[in-house]
Amino acid sequence: QKEVEQNSGPLSVPEGAIASLNCTYSDRGSQSFFWYRQYSGKSPELIMFIYSNGDKEDGRFTAQLNKASQYVSLLIRDSQPSDSATYLCAVNQRAGANSKLTFGKGITLSVRP
Amino acid sequence: DAGITQSPRHKVTETGTPVTLRCHQTENHRYMYWYRQDPGHGLRLIHYSYGVKDTDKGEVSDGYSVSRSKTEDFLLTLESATSSQTSVYFCAIQARPYYGYTFGSGTRLTVV
Protein backbone atom coordinates (compact mmCIF):
# COMPACT_ATOMS: atom_id res chain seq x y z
CA GLN A 1 0.00 0.00 0.00
CA LYS A 2 1.54 3.28 -1.10
CA GLU A 3 1.06 5.77 1.69
CA VAL A 4 1.11 9.48 2.26
CA GLU A 5 1.42 10.55 5.87
CA GLN A 6 0.79 13.94 7.40
CA ASN A 7 1.17 15.19 10.97
CA SER A 8 -2.06 14.43 12.82
CA GLY A 9 -2.61 18.00 13.96
CA PRO A 10 -4.45 20.22 14.52
CA LEU A 11 -1.90 22.98 14.19
CA SER A 12 -2.47 26.38 15.76
CA VAL A 13 -0.26 29.40 15.09
CA PRO A 14 -0.62 33.11 15.88
CA GLU A 15 -1.28 35.58 13.11
CA GLY A 16 1.95 36.61 11.40
CA ALA A 17 3.82 33.43 12.30
CA ILE A 18 5.21 30.78 9.96
CA ALA A 19 3.12 27.62 9.69
CA SER A 20 5.04 24.49 8.75
CA LEU A 21 3.12 21.53 7.34
CA ASN A 22 4.90 18.26 6.72
CA CYS A 23 4.25 15.17 4.65
CA THR A 24 6.09 11.90 3.99
CA TYR A 25 5.43 9.36 1.29
CA SER A 26 6.38 5.74 0.79
CA ASP A 27 6.70 5.32 -2.99
CA ARG A 28 10.17 6.32 -4.23
CA GLY A 29 8.83 6.37 -7.79
CA SER A 30 6.57 9.33 -7.06
CA GLN A 31 6.86 12.00 -9.71
CA SER A 32 4.94 15.07 -8.61
CA PHE A 33 3.72 16.55 -5.37
CA PHE A 34 0.83 18.81 -4.49
CA TRP A 35 -0.65 20.80 -1.66
CA TYR A 36 -4.39 21.38 -1.54
CA ARG A 37 -6.28 23.70 0.77
CA GLN A 38 -9.81 22.81 1.82
CA TYR A 39 -12.07 25.18 3.67
CA SER A 40 -14.83 23.65 5.76
CA GLY A 41 -17.69 22.51 3.56
CA LYS A 42 -15.80 23.24 0.35
CA SER A 43 -13.85 21.21 -2.18
CA PRO A 44 -10.03 20.90 -2.20
CA GLU A 45 -8.23 23.67 -4.06
CA LEU A 46 -4.76 23.28 -5.51
CA ILE A 47 -2.38 25.87 -4.06
CA MET A 48 1.12 24.52 -4.77
CA PHE A 49 2.82 21.87 -6.83
CA ILE A 50 6.46 20.82 -7.01
CA TYR A 51 8.28 18.34 -9.22
CA SER A 52 11.98 18.81 -8.42
CA ASN A 53 14.06 18.70 -5.28
CA GLY A 54 14.43 22.02 -3.52
CA ASP A 55 12.15 24.94 -2.79
CA LYS A 56 9.41 26.54 -4.81
CA GLU A 57 7.99 29.86 -3.69
CA ASP A 58 4.66 31.46 -4.60
CA GLY A 59 3.78 34.53 -2.59
CA ARG A 60 3.56 33.59 1.07
CA PHE A 61 3.73 29.88 0.27
CA THR A 62 6.88 27.77 -0.12
CA ALA A 63 6.85 24.11 -1.04
CA GLN A 64 9.93 22.06 -0.22
CA LEU A 65 10.76 18.65 -1.67
CA ASN A 66 13.43 16.17 -0.64
CA LYS A 67 13.09 12.99 -2.69
CA ALA A 68 15.98 11.23 -0.92
CA SER A 69 14.16 11.60 2.40
CA GLN A 70 10.72 11.16 0.77
CA TYR A 71 9.57 14.35 2.39
CA VAL A 72 7.54 17.31 1.18
CA SER A 73 6.55 20.34 3.21
CA LEU A 74 4.58 23.54 2.92
CA LEU A 75 5.57 26.74 4.68
CA ILE A 76 3.09 29.55 5.05
CA ARG A 77 4.74 32.84 5.96
CA ASP A 78 2.94 35.72 7.67
CA SER A 79 -0.01 33.43 8.43
CA GLN A 80 -3.43 35.06 8.23
CA PRO A 81 -6.75 34.00 9.77
CA SER A 82 -7.93 33.36 6.20
CA ASP A 83 -5.31 30.58 5.99
CA SER A 84 -7.29 28.60 8.55
CA ALA A 85 -8.27 25.45 6.67
CA THR A 86 -7.37 21.82 6.20
CA TYR A 87 -4.27 21.23 4.07
CA LEU A 88 -3.96 18.03 2.08
CA CYS A 89 -0.69 16.65 0.79
CA ALA A 90 -0.99 14.64 -2.43
CA VAL A 91 1.55 12.53 -4.26
CA ASN A 92 1.25 11.50 -7.89
CA GLN A 93 2.40 7.92 -8.35
CA ARG A 94 2.90 5.87 -11.44
CA ALA A 95 -0.03 3.64 -12.45
CA GLY A 96 0.98 1.84 -15.61
CA ALA A 97 1.21 4.41 -18.39
CA ASN A 98 -0.77 6.87 -16.30
CA SER A 99 -0.70 8.13 -12.73
CA LYS A 100 -2.90 8.55 -9.69
CA LEU A 101 -2.89 10.94 -6.78
CA THR A 102 -2.74 9.53 -3.28
CA PHE A 103 -3.82 11.94 -0.58
CA GLY A 104 -2.79 12.29 3.02
CA LYS A 105 -5.56 12.63 5.58
CA GLY A 106 -4.88 16.32 5.95
CA ILE A 107 -3.93 18.62 8.77
CA THR A 108 -6.16 21.38 10.09
CA LEU A 109 -4.48 24.74 10.54
CA SER A 110 -5.92 27.41 12.78
CA VAL A 111 -4.44 30.91 12.68
CA ARG A 112 -5.21 32.88 15.85
CA PRO A 113 -5.81 36.63 15.39
CA ASP B 1 -15.38 25.10 -9.95
CA ALA B 2 -15.16 26.42 -13.45
CA GLY B 3 -15.18 23.61 -15.99
CA ILE B 4 -16.46 20.89 -13.68
CA THR B 5 -19.89 20.53 -12.13
CA GLN B 6 -21.43 17.87 -9.94
CA SER B 7 -25.08 17.12 -9.51
CA PRO B 8 -26.96 16.95 -7.32
CA ARG B 9 -25.26 19.04 -4.63
CA HIS B 10 -27.23 17.40 -1.86
CA LYS B 11 -29.28 14.23 -1.76
CA VAL B 12 -31.09 12.22 0.88
CA THR B 13 -32.05 8.72 -0.10
CA GLU B 14 -33.35 5.58 1.53
CA THR B 15 -31.40 2.42 2.19
CA GLY B 16 -31.63 -0.02 -0.68
CA THR B 17 -32.38 2.48 -3.40
CA PRO B 18 -30.06 3.07 -6.37
CA VAL B 19 -28.48 6.49 -6.65
CA THR B 20 -26.58 8.09 -9.52
CA LEU B 21 -24.27 11.05 -9.13
CA ARG B 22 -23.16 13.00 -12.17
CA CYS B 23 -19.90 14.72 -12.95
CA HIS B 24 -19.78 16.96 -16.01
CA GLN B 25 -16.71 18.72 -17.36
CA THR B 26 -16.19 21.19 -20.16
CA GLU B 27 -12.38 20.97 -20.21
CA ASN B 28 -12.18 17.95 -22.53
CA HIS B 29 -9.84 16.26 -20.05
CA ARG B 30 -9.26 12.58 -20.50
CA TYR B 31 -8.78 11.70 -16.84
CA MET B 32 -11.62 11.70 -14.32
CA TYR B 33 -11.90 10.42 -10.76
CA TRP B 34 -14.51 9.81 -8.08
CA TYR B 35 -13.53 10.17 -4.41
CA ARG B 36 -15.41 10.00 -1.16
CA GLN B 37 -14.36 12.01 1.86
CA ASP B 38 -15.12 10.95 5.41
CA PRO B 39 -13.83 12.21 8.76
CA GLY B 40 -10.76 10.27 9.81
CA HIS B 41 -10.30 8.71 6.38
CA GLY B 42 -9.52 11.62 4.13
CA LEU B 43 -10.09 11.33 0.41
CA ARG B 44 -10.47 7.78 -0.85
CA LEU B 45 -10.56 6.81 -4.51
CA ILE B 46 -13.69 4.96 -5.62
CA HIS B 47 -13.30 4.63 -9.39
CA TYR B 48 -11.41 6.39 -12.12
CA SER B 49 -11.43 6.75 -15.89
CA TYR B 50 -8.65 7.29 -18.37
CA GLY B 51 -11.02 7.84 -21.28
CA VAL B 52 -14.37 6.93 -22.79
CA LYS B 53 -15.35 3.41 -21.77
CA ASP B 54 -12.00 3.04 -19.95
CA THR B 55 -12.69 2.78 -16.22
CA ASP B 56 -11.15 0.96 -13.30
CA LYS B 57 -11.64 0.39 -9.59
CA GLY B 58 -10.07 2.36 -6.80
CA GLU B 59 -9.48 1.38 -3.20
CA VAL B 60 -13.12 1.55 -2.02
CA SER B 61 -15.11 0.42 -5.05
CA ASP B 62 -17.41 -2.17 -3.44
CA GLY B 63 -21.05 -1.17 -3.89
CA TYR B 64 -20.24 1.38 -6.60
CA SER B 65 -20.19 1.30 -10.38
CA VAL B 66 -19.30 3.92 -12.96
CA SER B 67 -19.90 4.69 -16.59
CA ARG B 68 -18.26 7.00 -19.06
CA SER B 69 -19.89 7.04 -22.45
CA LYS B 70 -18.79 10.57 -23.30
CA THR B 71 -15.61 12.47 -22.48
CA GLU B 72 -17.53 15.10 -20.56
CA ASP B 73 -19.62 12.89 -18.28
CA PHE B 74 -18.58 10.46 -15.57
CA LEU B 75 -21.43 8.85 -13.65
CA LEU B 76 -21.16 7.17 -10.26
CA THR B 77 -23.91 4.75 -9.27
CA LEU B 78 -24.58 3.33 -5.85
CA GLU B 79 -26.31 0.13 -6.79
CA SER B 80 -28.19 -0.30 -3.50
CA ALA B 81 -27.43 2.51 -1.09
CA THR B 82 -26.36 1.68 2.47
CA SER B 83 -25.83 3.93 5.49
CA SER B 84 -22.07 3.38 5.21
CA GLN B 85 -22.20 5.24 1.90
CA THR B 86 -23.29 8.43 3.59
CA SER B 87 -20.45 10.72 2.63
CA VAL B 88 -19.31 13.67 0.60
CA TYR B 89 -18.46 12.65 -2.95
CA PHE B 90 -16.01 14.59 -5.06
CA CYS B 91 -15.33 14.29 -8.74
CA ALA B 92 -11.96 15.42 -10.07
CA ILE B 93 -10.48 15.99 -13.51
CA GLN B 94 -6.88 15.91 -14.65
CA ALA B 95 -5.40 17.32 -17.84
CA ARG B 96 -2.40 14.98 -18.15
CA PRO B 97 -0.60 12.32 -16.13
CA TYR B 98 1.36 13.76 -13.20
CA TYR B 99 -0.64 16.99 -13.26
CA GLY B 100 -2.78 18.04 -10.33
CA TYR B 101 -6.51 17.51 -10.11
CA THR B 102 -9.31 20.05 -10.23
CA PHE B 103 -12.21 19.12 -8.00
CA GLY B 104 -15.90 19.67 -8.39
CA SER B 105 -17.94 21.24 -5.62
CA GLY B 106 -18.99 17.88 -4.22
CA THR B 107 -22.23 16.03 -3.50
CA ARG B 108 -23.32 15.49 0.06
CA LEU B 109 -25.19 12.19 0.16
CA THR B 110 -27.15 10.99 3.16
CA VAL B 111 -28.55 7.45 3.22
CA VAL B 112 -31.29 6.99 5.82
Side-chain angles (χ1 to χ4, degrees):
Chain A
Q1 179 75 7
K2 299 171 183 175
E3 296 181 345
V4 177
E5 301 283 347
Q6 295 184 244
N7 307 53
S8 58
L11 176 65
S12 180
V13 301
E15 185 173 354
I18 296 175
S20 177
L21 313 177
N22 304 316
C23 175
T24 59
Y25 59 94
S26 61
D27 182 10
R28 285 195 172 274
S30 300
Q31 301 283 328
S32 51
F33 308 85
F34 305 86
W35 284 98
Y36 284 82
R37 178 177 63 200
Q38 187 175 24
Y39 292 116
S40 181
K42 301 296 185 182
S43 59
E45 171 194 13
L46 180 64
I47 56 172
M48 288 290 286
F49 62 89
I50 186 166
Y51 296 100
S52 304
N53 277 331
D55 294 358
K56 179 181 179 182
E57 187 173 317
D58 184 1
R60 296 186 295 111
F61 298 97
T62 299
Q64 299 175 316
L65 175 62
N66 184 325
K67 288 187 177 180
S69 300
Q70 296 174 244
Y71 176 94
V72 59
S73 65
L74 179 69
L75 301 178
I76 306 175
R77 291 182 301 281
D78 188 24
S79 295
Q80 300 297 310
S82 60
D83 295 325
S84 298
T86 296
Y87 290 81
L88 305 173
C89 172
V91 176
N92 215 331
Q93 298 159 334
R94 189 183 303 276
N98 298 297
S99 68
K100 282 188 293 185
L101 275 183
T102 298
F103 288 85
K105 292 183 179 179
I107 184 169
T108 298
L109 171 66
S110 175
V111 181
R112 309 186 300 271
Chain B
D1 283 4
I4 178 172
T5 55
Q6 291 184 235
S7 58
R9 291 296 310 277
H10 302 273
K11 186 171 182 66
V12 180
T13 192
E14 294 186 348
T15 298
T17 60
V19 177
T20 295
L21 308 183
R22 182 186 185 225
C23 179
H24 178 76
Q25 59 137 335
T26 57
E27 304 295 324
N28 201 36
H29 288 341
R30 179 179 164 191
Y31 304 96
M32 299 186 75
Y33 304 84
W34 276 108
Y35 284 87
R36 62 179 289 176
Q37 188 174 42
D38 305 286
H41 292 279
L43 283 163
R44 293 183 290 174
L45 182 63
I46 306 171
H47 279 280
Y48 58 97
S49 172
Y50 290 158
V52 173
K53 295 186 177 9
D54 183 4
T55 64
D56 208 345
K57 297 178 179 179
E59 60 182 298
V60 290
S61 60
D62 287 349
Y64 302 94
S65 62
V66 289
S67 67
R68 192 162 178 208
S69 59
K70 298 185 292 185
T71 297
E72 58 265 37
D73 289 323
F74 192 30
L75 304 180
L76 176 71
T77 297
L78 288 66
E79 294 144 7
S80 177
T82 68
S83 58
S84 65
Q85 293 176 312
T86 292
S87 187
V88 179
Y89 291 85
F90 288 106
C91 177
I93 59 176
Q94 181 188 29
R96 295 180 183 180
Y98 303 105
Y99 279 37
Y101 295 177
T102 300
F103 284 87
S105 298
T107 294
R108 183 173 295 276
L109 177 69
T110 303
V111 183
V112 298

PDB file of all heavy atoms in Angstrom, chain A residues 9-36:
ATOM      1  N   GLY A   9      -2.005  16.727  13.645  1.00  0.00           N
ATOM      2  CA  GLY A   9      -2.607  18.004  13.960  1.00  0.00           C
ATOM      3  C   GLY A   9      -3.643  17.920  15.063  1.00  0.00           C
ATOM      4  O   GLY A   9      -3.701  16.928  15.773  1.00  0.00           O
ATOM      5  N   PRO A  10      -4.470  18.966  15.262  1.00  0.00           N
ATOM      6  CA  PRO A  10      -4.447  20.218  14.515  1.00  0.00           C
ATOM      7  C   PRO A  10      -3.249  21.092  14.871  1.00  0.00           C
ATOM      8  O   PRO A  10      -2.595  20.855  15.872  1.00  0.00           O
ATOM      9  CB  PRO A  10      -5.761  20.886  14.922  1.00  0.00           C
ATOM     10  CG  PRO A  10      -6.021  20.364  16.295  1.00  0.00           C
ATOM     11  CD  PRO A  10      -5.491  18.961  16.314  1.00  0.00           C
ATOM     12  N   LEU A  11      -2.995  22.060  13.998  1.00  0.00           N
ATOM     13  CA  LEU A  11      -1.896  22.976  14.194  1.00  0.00           C
ATOM     14  C   LEU A  11      -2.470  24.374  14.408  1.00  0.00           C
ATOM     15  O   LEU A  11      -3.323  24.820  13.641  1.00  0.00           O
ATOM     16  CB  LEU A  11      -0.994  22.965  12.957  1.00  0.00           C
ATOM     17  CG  LEU A  11       0.177  23.943  12.916  1.00  0.00           C
ATOM     18  CD1 LEU A  11       1.180  23.597  14.018  1.00  0.00           C
ATOM     19  CD2 LEU A  11       0.853  23.907  11.551  1.00  0.00           C
ATOM     20  N   SER A  12      -1.998  25.030  15.449  1.00  0.00           N
ATOM     21  CA  SER A  12      -2.471  26.376  15.757  1.00  0.00           C
ATOM     22  C   SER A  12      -1.267  27.318  15.816  1.00  0.00           C
ATOM     23  O   SER A  12      -0.293  27.023  16.504  1.00  0.00           O
ATOM     24  CB  SER A  12      -3.223  26.389  17.094  1.00  0.00           C
ATOM     25  OG  SER A  12      -3.673  27.691  17.395  1.00  0.00           O
ATOM     26  N   VAL A  13      -1.338  28.415  15.084  1.00  0.00           N
ATOM     27  CA  VAL A  13      -0.257  29.397  15.091  1.00  0.00           C
ATOM     28  C   VAL A  13      -0.855  30.785  15.238  1.00  0.00           C
ATOM     29  O   VAL A  13      -2.007  31.023  14.848  1.00  0.00           O
ATOM     30  CB  VAL A  13       0.593  29.329  13.793  1.00  0.00           C
ATOM     31  CG1 VAL A  13       1.213  27.949  13.623  1.00  0.00           C
ATOM     32  CG2 VAL A  13      -0.200  29.723  12.572  1.00  0.00           C
ATOM     33  N   PRO A  14      -0.106  31.741  15.795  1.00  0.00           N
ATOM     34  CA  PRO A  14      -0.617  33.109  15.878  1.00  0.00           C
ATOM     35  C   PRO A  14      -0.494  33.815  14.532  1.00  0.00           C
ATOM     36  O   PRO A  14       0.338  33.456  13.691  1.00  0.00           O
ATOM     37  CB  PRO A  14       0.306  33.756  16.921  1.00  0.00           C
ATOM     38  CG  PRO A  14       1.568  32.974  16.834  1.00  0.00           C
ATOM     39  CD  PRO A  14       1.179  31.579  16.475  1.00  0.00           C
ATOM     40  N   GLU A  15      -1.323  34.791  14.346  1.00  0.00           N
ATOM     41  CA  GLU A  15      -1.278  35.579  13.112  1.00  0.00           C
ATOM     42  C   GLU A  15       0.123  36.178  12.932  1.00  0.00           C
ATOM     43  O   GLU A  15       0.744  36.661  13.882  1.00  0.00           O
ATOM     44  CB  GLU A  15      -2.313  36.705  13.185  1.00  0.00           C
ATOM     45  CG  GLU A  15      -2.440  37.521  11.924  1.00  0.00           C
ATOM     46  CD  GLU A  15      -3.591  38.521  11.988  1.00  0.00           C
ATOM     47  OE1 GLU A  15      -4.350  38.482  12.985  1.00  0.00           O
ATOM     48  OE2 GLU A  15      -3.737  39.319  11.044  1.00  0.00           O
ATOM     49  N   GLY A  16       0.624  36.099  11.697  1.00  0.00           N
ATOM     50  CA  GLY A  16       1.951  36.612  11.397  1.00  0.00           C
ATOM     51  C   GLY A  16       3.072  35.599  11.523  1.00  0.00           C
ATOM     52  O   GLY A  16       4.187  35.844  11.054  1.00  0.00           O
ATOM     53  N   ALA A  17       2.793  34.461  12.123  1.00  0.00           N
ATOM     54  CA  ALA A  17       3.821  33.430  12.301  1.00  0.00           C
ATOM     55  C   ALA A  17       3.979  32.594  11.028  1.00  0.00           C
ATOM     56  O   ALA A  17       3.204  32.707  10.073  1.00  0.00           O
ATOM     57  CB  ALA A  17       3.449  32.523  13.474  1.00  0.00           C
ATOM     58  N   ILE A  18       5.007  31.749  11.049  1.00  0.00           N
ATOM     59  CA  ILE A  18       5.208  30.784   9.961  1.00  0.00           C
ATOM     60  C   ILE A  18       4.561  29.462  10.360  1.00  0.00           C
ATOM     61  O   ILE A  18       4.824  28.926  11.434  1.00  0.00           O
ATOM     62  CB  ILE A  18       6.709  30.556   9.681  1.00  0.00           C
ATOM     63  CG1 ILE A  18       7.371  31.839   9.188  1.00  0.00           C
ATOM     64  CG2 ILE A  18       6.891  29.436   8.653  1.00  0.00           C
ATOM     65  CD1 ILE A  18       8.872  31.729   9.017  1.00  0.00           C
ATOM     66  N   ALA A  19       3.715  28.947   9.481  1.00  0.00           N
ATOM     67  CA  ALA A  19       3.125  27.623   9.688  1.00  0.00           C
ATOM     68  C   ALA A  19       3.892  26.633   8.832  1.00  0.00           C
ATOM     69  O   ALA A  19       4.132  26.873   7.644  1.00  0.00           O
ATOM     70  CB  ALA A  19       1.655  27.630   9.305  1.00  0.00           C
ATOM     71  N   SER A  20       4.273  25.515   9.449  1.00  0.00           N
ATOM     72  CA  SER A  20       5.043  24.488   8.754  1.00  0.00           C
ATOM     73  C   SER A  20       4.239  23.197   8.721  1.00  0.00           C
ATOM     74  O   SER A  20       3.907  22.640   9.764  1.00  0.00           O
ATOM     75  CB  SER A  20       6.378  24.264   9.468  1.00  0.00           C
ATOM     76  OG  SER A  20       7.105  23.216   8.832  1.00  0.00           O
ATOM     77  N   LEU A  21       3.926  22.744   7.525  1.00  0.00           N
ATOM     78  CA  LEU A  21       3.123  21.530   7.344  1.00  0.00           C
ATOM     79  C   LEU A  21       3.991  20.478   6.659  1.00  0.00           C
ATOM     80  O   LEU A  21       4.639  20.776   5.661  1.00  0.00           O
ATOM     81  CB  LEU A  21       1.891  21.833   6.483  1.00  0.00           C
ATOM     82  CG  LEU A  21       1.091  23.085   6.869  1.00  0.00           C
ATOM     83  CD1 LEU A  21      -0.048  23.296   5.894  1.00  0.00           C
ATOM     84  CD2 LEU A  21       0.588  22.993   8.285  1.00  0.00           C
ATOM     85  N   ASN A  22       3.975  19.283   7.200  1.00  0.00           N
ATOM     86  CA  ASN A  22       4.896  18.256   6.722  1.00  0.00           C
ATOM     87  C   ASN A  22       4.166  17.033   6.201  1.00  0.00           C
ATOM     88  O   ASN A  22       3.051  16.715   6.637  1.00  0.00           O
ATOM     89  CB  ASN A  22       5.821  17.842   7.862  1.00  0.00           C
ATOM     90  CG  ASN A  22       6.567  19.015   8.439  1.00  0.00           C
ATOM     91  OD1 ASN A  22       7.080  19.846   7.708  1.00  0.00           O
ATOM     92  ND2 ASN A  22       6.623  19.100   9.755  1.00  0.00           N
ATOM     93  N   CYS A  23       4.857  16.320   5.297  1.00  0.00           N
ATOM     94  CA  CYS A  23       4.249  15.166   4.646  1.00  0.00           C
ATOM     95  C   CYS A  23       5.358  14.198   4.231  1.00  0.00           C
ATOM     96  O   CYS A  23       6.409  14.639   3.730  1.00  0.00           O
ATOM     97  CB  CYS A  23       3.475  15.660   3.417  1.00  0.00           C
ATOM     98  SG  CYS A  23       2.750  14.388   2.385  1.00  0.00           S
ATOM     99  N   THR A  24       5.165  12.927   4.483  1.00  0.00           N
ATOM    100  CA  THR A  24       6.090  11.903   3.992  1.00  0.00           C
ATOM    101  C   THR A  24       5.333  10.934   3.112  1.00  0.00           C
ATOM    102  O   THR A  24       4.117  10.764   3.249  1.00  0.00           O
ATOM    103  CB  THR A  24       6.759  11.138   5.149  1.00  0.00           C
ATOM    104  OG1 THR A  24       5.744  10.516   5.947  1.00  0.00           O
ATOM    105  CG2 THR A  24       7.585  12.068   6.015  1.00  0.00           C
ATOM    106  N   TYR A  25       6.074  10.293   2.200  1.00  0.00           N
ATOM    107  CA  TYR A  25       5.435   9.355   1.286  1.00  0.00           C
ATOM    108  C   TYR A  25       6.288   8.114   1.146  1.00  0.00           C
ATOM    109  O   TYR A  25       7.494   8.150   1.373  1.00  0.00           O
ATOM    110  CB  TYR A  25       5.185  10.017  -0.072  1.00  0.00           C
ATOM    111  CG  TYR A  25       6.421  10.516  -0.762  1.00  0.00           C
ATOM    112  CD1 TYR A  25       7.095   9.742  -1.700  1.00  0.00           C
ATOM    113  CD2 TYR A  25       6.929  11.786  -0.479  1.00  0.00           C
ATOM    114  CE1 TYR A  25       8.236  10.197  -2.331  1.00  0.00           C
ATOM    115  CE2 TYR A  25       8.068  12.255  -1.104  1.00  0.00           C
ATOM    116  CZ  TYR A  25       8.726  11.466  -2.028  1.00  0.00           C
ATOM    117  OH  TYR A  25       9.856  11.920  -2.652  1.00  0.00           O
ATOM    118  N   SER A  26       5.671   7.021   0.772  1.00  0.00           N
ATOM    119  CA  SER A  26       6.380   5.741   0.791  1.00  0.00           C
ATOM    120  C   SER A  26       6.904   5.304  -0.578  1.00  0.00           C
ATOM    121  O   SER A  26       7.850   4.511  -0.638  1.00  0.00           O
ATOM    122  CB  SER A  26       5.455   4.648   1.335  1.00  0.00           C
ATOM    123  OG  SER A  26       4.315   4.494   0.511  1.00  0.00           O
ATOM    124  N   ASP A  27       6.327   5.804  -1.656  1.00  0.00           N
ATOM    125  CA  ASP A  27       6.702   5.321  -2.987  1.00  0.00           C
ATOM    126  C   ASP A  27       7.830   6.170  -3.576  1.00  0.00           C
ATOM    127  O   ASP A  27       7.617   7.326  -3.945  1.00  0.00           O
ATOM    128  CB  ASP A  27       5.476   5.360  -3.904  1.00  0.00           C
ATOM    129  CG  ASP A  27       5.772   4.817  -5.288  1.00  0.00           C
ATOM    130  OD1 ASP A  27       6.865   4.232  -5.498  1.00  0.00           O
ATOM    131  OD2 ASP A  27       4.904   4.968  -6.169  1.00  0.00           O
ATOM    132  N   ARG A  28       9.015   5.574  -3.707  1.00  0.00           N
ATOM    133  CA  ARG A  28      10.174   6.316  -4.226  1.00  0.00           C
ATOM    134  C   ARG A  28      10.000   6.699  -5.686  1.00  0.00           C
ATOM    135  O   ARG A  28      10.726   7.554  -6.192  1.00  0.00           O
ATOM    136  CB  ARG A  28      11.442   5.463  -4.075  1.00  0.00           C
ATOM    137  CG  ARG A  28      11.950   5.394  -2.651  1.00  0.00           C
ATOM    138  CD  ARG A  28      13.374   4.852  -2.603  1.00  0.00           C
ATOM    139  NE  ARG A  28      13.905   4.977  -1.257  1.00  0.00           N
ATOM    140  CZ  ARG A  28      14.497   6.075  -0.793  1.00  0.00           C
ATOM    141  NH1 ARG A  28      14.632   7.128  -1.567  1.00  0.00           N
ATOM    142  NH2 ARG A  28      14.964   6.108   0.438  1.00  0.00           N
ATOM    143  N   GLY A  29       9.077   6.046  -6.383  1.00  0.00           N
ATOM    144  CA  GLY A  29       8.835   6.370  -7.790  1.00  0.00           C
ATOM    145  C   GLY A  29       7.917   7.553  -8.005  1.00  0.00           C
ATOM    146  O   GLY A  29       7.589   7.885  -9.142  1.00  0.00           O
ATOM    147  N   SER A  30       7.496   8.207  -6.932  1.00  0.00           N
ATOM    148  CA  SER A  30       6.572   9.335  -7.058  1.00  0.00           C
ATOM    149  C   SER A  30       7.191  10.451  -7.877  1.00  0.00           C
ATOM    150  O   SER A  30       8.382  10.743  -7.766  1.00  0.00           O
ATOM    151  CB  SER A  30       6.194   9.851  -5.670  1.00  0.00           C
ATOM    152  OG  SER A  30       5.564   8.829  -4.927  1.00  0.00           O
ATOM    153  N   GLN A  31       6.347  11.062  -8.713  1.00  0.00           N
ATOM    154  CA  GLN A  31       6.862  12.000  -9.714  1.00  0.00           C
ATOM    155  C   GLN A  31       6.525  13.453  -9.428  1.00  0.00           C
ATOM    156  O   GLN A  31       7.249  14.356  -9.829  1.00  0.00           O
ATOM    157  CB  GLN A  31       6.277  11.629 -11.083  1.00  0.00           C
ATOM    158  CG  GLN A  31       6.596  10.229 -11.539  1.00  0.00           C
ATOM    159  CD  GLN A  31       8.011  10.104 -12.060  1.00  0.00           C
ATOM    160  OE1 GLN A  31       8.541  11.070 -12.618  1.00  0.00           O
ATOM    161  NE2 GLN A  31       8.621   8.964 -11.864  1.00  0.00           N
ATOM    162  N   SER A  32       5.370  13.685  -8.819  1.00  0.00           N
ATOM    163  CA  SER A  32       4.943  15.066  -8.609  1.00  0.00           C
ATOM    164  C   SER A  32       4.164  15.156  -7.303  1.00  0.00           C
ATOM    165  O   SER A  32       3.576  14.173  -6.855  1.00  0.00           O
ATOM    166  CB  SER A  32       4.105  15.561  -9.793  1.00  0.00           C
ATOM    167  OG  SER A  32       3.072  14.656 -10.104  1.00  0.00           O
ATOM    168  N   PHE A  33       4.173  16.369  -6.738  1.00  0.00           N
ATOM    169  CA  PHE A  33       3.715  16.547  -5.368  1.00  0.00           C
ATOM    170  C   PHE A  33       2.875  17.813  -5.278  1.00  0.00           C
ATOM    171  O   PHE A  33       3.211  18.831  -5.896  1.00  0.00           O
ATOM    172  CB  PHE A  33       4.932  16.619  -4.438  1.00  0.00           C
ATOM    173  CG  PHE A  33       5.860  15.455  -4.643  1.00  0.00           C
ATOM    174  CD1 PHE A  33       6.820  15.480  -5.641  1.00  0.00           C
ATOM    175  CD2 PHE A  33       5.748  14.321  -3.852  1.00  0.00           C
ATOM    176  CE1 PHE A  33       7.661  14.402  -5.865  1.00  0.00           C
ATOM    177  CE2 PHE A  33       6.578  13.231  -4.071  1.00  0.00           C
ATOM    178  CZ  PHE A  33       7.529  13.273  -5.071  1.00  0.00           C
ATOM    179  N   PHE A  34       1.810  17.731  -4.498  1.00  0.00           N
ATOM    180  CA  PHE A  34       0.832  18.814  -4.491  1.00  0.00           C
ATOM    181  C   PHE A  34       0.382  19.122  -3.074  1.00  0.00           C
ATOM    182  O   PHE A  34       0.338  18.243  -2.217  1.00  0.00           O
ATOM    183  CB  PHE A  34      -0.392  18.415  -5.328  1.00  0.00           C
ATOM    184  CG  PHE A  34      -0.047  18.004  -6.738  1.00  0.00           C
ATOM    185  CD1 PHE A  34       0.320  16.697  -7.015  1.00  0.00           C
ATOM    186  CD2 PHE A  34      -0.076  18.918  -7.764  1.00  0.00           C
ATOM    187  CE1 PHE A  34       0.653  16.310  -8.306  1.00  0.00           C
ATOM    188  CE2 PHE A  34       0.257  18.540  -9.053  1.00  0.00           C
ATOM    189  CZ  PHE A  34       0.614  17.241  -9.322  1.00  0.00           C
ATOM    190  N   TRP A  35       0.027  20.388  -2.883  1.00  0.00           N
ATOM    191  CA  TRP A  35      -0.648  20.798  -1.661  1.00  0.00           C
ATOM    192  C   TRP A  35      -1.994  21.397  -2.034  1.00  0.00           C
ATOM    193  O   TRP A  35      -2.067  22.270  -2.901  1.00  0.00           O
ATOM    194  CB  TRP A  35       0.170  21.823  -0.882  1.00  0.00           C
ATOM    195  CG  TRP A  35       1.313  21.206  -0.151  1.00  0.00           C
ATOM    196  CD1 TRP A  35       2.614  21.144  -0.545  1.00  0.00           C
ATOM    197  CD2 TRP A  35       1.260  20.550   1.123  1.00  0.00           C
ATOM    198  NE1 TRP A  35       3.369  20.483   0.396  1.00  0.00           N
ATOM    199  CE2 TRP A  35       2.558  20.111   1.435  1.00  0.00           C
ATOM    200  CE3 TRP A  35       0.226  20.286   2.035  1.00  0.00           C
ATOM    201  CZ2 TRP A  35       2.864  19.436   2.611  1.00  0.00           C
ATOM    202  CZ3 TRP A  35       0.527  19.614   3.206  1.00  0.00           C
ATOM    203  CH2 TRP A  35       1.837  19.196   3.487  1.00  0.00           C
ATOM    204  N   TYR A  36      -3.030  20.888  -1.360  1.00  0.00           N
ATOM    205  CA  TYR A  36      -4.385  21.384  -1.536  1.00  0.00           C
ATOM    206  C   TYR A  36      -4.844  22.026  -0.241  1.00  0.00           C
ATOM    207  O   TYR A  36      -4.511  21.571   0.846  1.00  0.00           O
ATOM    208  CB  TYR A  36      -5.351  20.242  -1.890  1.00  0.00           C
ATOM    209  CG  TYR A  36      -5.242  19.757  -3.319  1.00  0.00           C
ATOM    210  CD1 TYR A  36      -4.256  18.851  -3.684  1.00  0.00           C
ATOM    211  CD2 TYR A  36      -6.131  20.211  -4.291  1.00  0.00           C
ATOM    212  CE1 TYR A  36      -4.159  18.406  -5.003  1.00  0.00           C
ATOM    213  CE2 TYR A  36      -6.033  19.770  -5.605  1.00  0.00           C
ATOM    214  CZ  TYR A  36      -5.044  18.874  -5.947  1.00  0.00           C
ATOM    215  OH  TYR A  36      -4.952  18.439  -7.246  1.00  0.00           O
TER     216      TYR A  36
END
